[in-house]
């Protein structure tokens, strides 16, 4: 599974996502421009001592990711969709795209692939959830569907549907 953060702005969110990726054998893709340095102390603190466990790949732009992973399923998480993330049938090497904290994913990306856009349900008055929380929600649904591959306690779990 691949988590793609497009132009993340807040180092703590990215550090939290890096830790989630480390704990779940997920590749973390960071698409520039980043709103912080990869040496940022808040980024490092949020990721704790998990950084050596994270497969982090930095990309110059979204096109670089799309080209490198052509043929993979790509899903775009946004508040601008009526489709629920829980309706995705995930596969092992899918890419989950999340946009920057202040604006989300670029409109042109969403308009080009409306069938691949999904949201996390929430009350209408709520603008959005925290980015790292959103990544965790969707990532764990994908892992649940895949029966938690290569994770402690994941093999043989039969009571999860």
């Amino acid at each position: 599974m691949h988590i793609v953060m497009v132009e993340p702005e807040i180092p703590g969110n990215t550090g939290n996502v890096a830790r989630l990726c480390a704990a779940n054998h997920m590749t973390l893709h960071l698409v520039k421009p980043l709103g912080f340095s990869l040496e940022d102390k808040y980024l490092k603190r949020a990721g704790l001592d998990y950084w050596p466990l994270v497969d982090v790949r930095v990309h110059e732009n979204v096109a670089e990711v799309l080209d490198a992973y052509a043929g993979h399923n790509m899903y775009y998480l946004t508040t601008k969709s009526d489709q629920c993330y829980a309706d995705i049938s995930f596969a092992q090497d899918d890419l989950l795209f999340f946009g920057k904290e202040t604006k989300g994913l670029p409109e042109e990306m969403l308009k080009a692939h409306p069938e691949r856009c999904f949201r996390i349900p929430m009350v209408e008055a709520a603008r959005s959830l925290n980015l790292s929380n959103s990544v965790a929600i969707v990532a764990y649904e994908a892992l649940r569907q895949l029966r938690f591959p290569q994770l402690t306690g994941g093999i043989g779990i039969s009571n999860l549907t």
Side-chain angles (χ1 to χ4, degrees), residues 19 28 46 48 96 98 115 129 133-134:
R19 186 173 176 180
L28 175 59
L48 296 174
L96 307 177
F98 296 85
E115 74 288 355
L129 295 172
N133 290 341
S134 296

Side-chain angles (χ1 to χ4, degrees), residues 61-135:
N61 52 54
V62 172
E64 189 176 295
V65 179
L66 299 176
D67 290 345
Y69 293 89
H72 288 249
N73 293 324
M74 299 183 191
Y75 300 105
Y76 309 103
L77 284 298
T78 176
T79 58
K80 301 170 181 136
S81 176
D82 293 326
Q83 298 186 97
C84 178
Y85 77 97
D87 294 331
I88 300 170
S89 293
F90 292 99
Q92 185 65 44
D93 288 324
D94 290 350
L95 282 83
L96 307 177
F97 284 78
F98 296 85
K100 62 178 149 182
E101 289 87 345
T102 56
K103 295 184 180 181
L105 290 169
E107 281 293 321
E108 60 273 8
M109 178 182 281
L110 303 177
K111 287 180 180 178
H113 305 284
E115 74 288 355
R116 296 247 171 224
C117 295
F118 294 86
R119 70 178 289 123
I120 298 169
M122 65 187 88
V123 298
E124 192 172 319
R127 195 172 60 249
S128 64
L129 295 172
N130 172 274
L131 178 59
S132 62
N133 290 341
S134 296
V135 173

